Amino acid sequence: MMQFFNIFGSIFGYVLWAAYHFINNFGVAIIIFTLIFKVVLFPSSVKQQKSMAANAKIQAKQRALQEKYGNDKQRYNEELQKLYEKENVKPFGGCLSSFLPFIVMLGIYYSVVRPLSNVLHIASDKVAQLSEYVNSIPGISLNSSSLYSEIELLRIFDSISTHSGVTEILTGDEIEKIKLLTGGFNFLSLDLLSTPKFAGGWVLLIPILCLVTSVGSQVFMMFMKGNPMSQQQGCMKYMFIALPVLTAWIAYTVPAAVGFYWICSTVFGFIQTLIMNKFYSPDIMIAKSEAQHIARLELDEKNSQYTP
């Protein structure tokens, strides 16, 4: 599983480095990455909105089935499935879209904890040689087996970049890229490489803002006119409760850059929801669906009249 998300970390690393290369700040690079990610996945978000609207549309019919077949679960499930097929509704159609930001968060995590391998894409054997060399320097003790060993290397790189062992392992271009990256993790006086659980101080704002933005945006959307979120069932219902707490805890225990990504994702997601609610609100989509359904019925009736 770790290797699976590390692949995402390597892919996302290309985008992060491309953004970083122009502005030399990892926090701004994350903002740009998140914006690109939201734009690319906008069609998927519209699909999720359609799924939510479709589920909201059949709520009354579903309750009627519960009242009619409440004591016969098998018959109820059969009739419910027929209802889904008739209305062309996929009850869990929005679940995958809900999990995507969480998957990206894990990908960002592996980009952050392995900045040399996944952001700069320096060969793993060179990173291993560099770790081994650094451990041979008197007064420096690097835990090469730690998941955060590359972060430790990045923190001390300026002080060892001119060592002959480093110049033998890395090319001049690789050294320059690492030096460029070392100074870019300070964003609004917050060290994005530090972990809130251990660093404390102002960096604790990251997990707090993760929780506040997640809960705040979801509560606002819950009471937004025409939004069926409060009526969602299955995975969507549990995601509303569990996801903010889970992401806040993760943000507390991992480098702050990961939590910062989630804050950016939540804020951009909220703005996206406001836009979608204006042009793709459940009320609008239900009305369009009903109009299309009536048009199909009229067309079928007209065709039947011409049938010899």
Side-chain angles (χ1 to χ4, degrees):
M1 184 62 73
M2 182 182 76
Q3 192 60 34
F4 173 76
F5 287 113
N6 190 57
I7 293 173
F8 281 98
S10 179
I11 295 171
F12 297 157
Y14 284 109
V15 183
L16 286 167
W17 175 245
Y20 182 91
H21 193 67
F22 288 101
I23 38 81
N24 296 341
N25 188 283
F26 206 77
V28 179
I30 288 176
I31 294 174
I32 295 172
F33 170 88
T34 310
L35 182 59
I36 293 172
F37 174 72
K38 289 295 182 183
V39 171
V40 170
L41 287 185
F42 185 77
S44 176
S45 299
V46 173
K47 184 178 179 180
Q48 180 184 1
Q49 186 87 337
K50 288 180 178 179
S51 177
M52 292 172 64
N55 276 284
K57 186 180 71 171
I58 65 169
Q59 288 294 316
K61 295 179 181 179
Q62 188 173 345
R63 284 193 294 269
L65 289 177
Q66 286 176 330
E67 293 175 2
K68 187 174 181 179
Y69 303 109
N71 296 324
D72 188 346
K73 287 188 177 181
Q74 183 176 350
R75 181 66 186 279
Y76 168 73
N77 289 329
E78 290 174 356
E79 295 298 325
L80 183 61
Q81 188 61 39
K82 290 178 182 178
L83 177 63
Y84 288 151
E85 291 175 0
K86 180 182 177 182
E87 300 289 343
N88 194 28
V89 170
K90 296 179 181 178
F92 301 106
C95 290
L96 180 59
S97 299
S98 297
F99 279 107
L100 276 174
F102 186 67
I103 293 173
V104 175
M105 182 177 178
L106 290 173
I108 290 290
Y109 171 73
Y110 280 100
S111 293
V112 172
V113 299
R114 293 182 173 175
L116 305 185
S117 301
N118 289 337
V119 177
L120 300 181
H121 293 91
I122 296 173
S124 57
D125 59 333
K126 284 191 174 185
V127 176
Q129 290 176 41
L130 183 62
S131 297
E132 185 177 347
Y133 172 75
V134 169
N135 272 326
S136 70
I137 300 176
I140 297 180
S141 178
L142 185 69
N143 185 358
S144 301
S145 62
S146 169
L147 189 60
Y148 295 164
S149 61
E150 290 192 23
I151 290 180
E152 294 179 44
L153 274 172
L154 199 63
R155 286 188 182 282
I156 64 172
F157 190 78
D158 280 342
S159 63
I160 63 169
S161 60
T162 57
H163 285 217
S164 58
V166 174
T167 56
E168 289 175 4
I169 297 170
L170 302 173
T171 66
D173 183 57
E174 288 170 337
I175 290 174
E176 288 305 312
K177 286 200 292 187
I178 296 175
K179 290 174 71 175
L180 179 63
L181 189 61
T182 55
F185 285 89
N186 187 295
F187 181 78
L188 299 178
S189 299
L190 298 177
D191 181 6
L192 296 181
L193 284 180
S194 64
T195 301
K197 182 178 180 179
F198 303 112
W202 286 106
V203 79
L204 286 172
L205 283 173
I206 296 293
I208 293 172
L209 287 175
C210 274
L211 183 63
V212 170
T213 54
S214 292
V215 172
S217 63
Q218 293 202 49
V219 168
F220 185 90
M221 287 186 288
M222 181 182 245
F223 293 100
M224 187 180 292
K225 182 181 178 181
N227 196 308
M229 182 174 288
S230 60
Q231 302 174 13
Q232 290 301 300
Q233 297 181 353
C235 70
M236 298 294 288
K237 180 180 179 180
Y238 296 108
M239 289 286 284
F240 172 78
I241 299 170
L243 195 56
V245 175
L246 177 61
T247 52
W249 171 252
I250 291 174
Y252 177 67
T253 58
V254 301
V258 181
F260 181 69
Y261 156 74
W262 189 261
I263 294 169
C264 294
S265 179
T266 302
V267 172
F268 282 131
F270 177 69
I271 295 172
Q272 176 181 276
T273 300
L274 293 178
I275 295 172
M276 288 176 59
N277 200 59
K278 182 174 179 61
F279 298 102
Y280 301 96
S281 73
D283 287 344
I284 293 174
M285 298 177 88
I286 289 173
K288 285 183 178 180
S289 177
E290 292 292 345
Q292 290 171 355
H293 181 65
I294 293 172
R296 281 195 300 267
L297 290 176
E298 291 177 348
L299 182 61
D300 291 342
E301 184 179 351
K302 185 180 294 186
N303 290 336
S304 65
Q305 292 176 356
Y306 291 99
T307 302

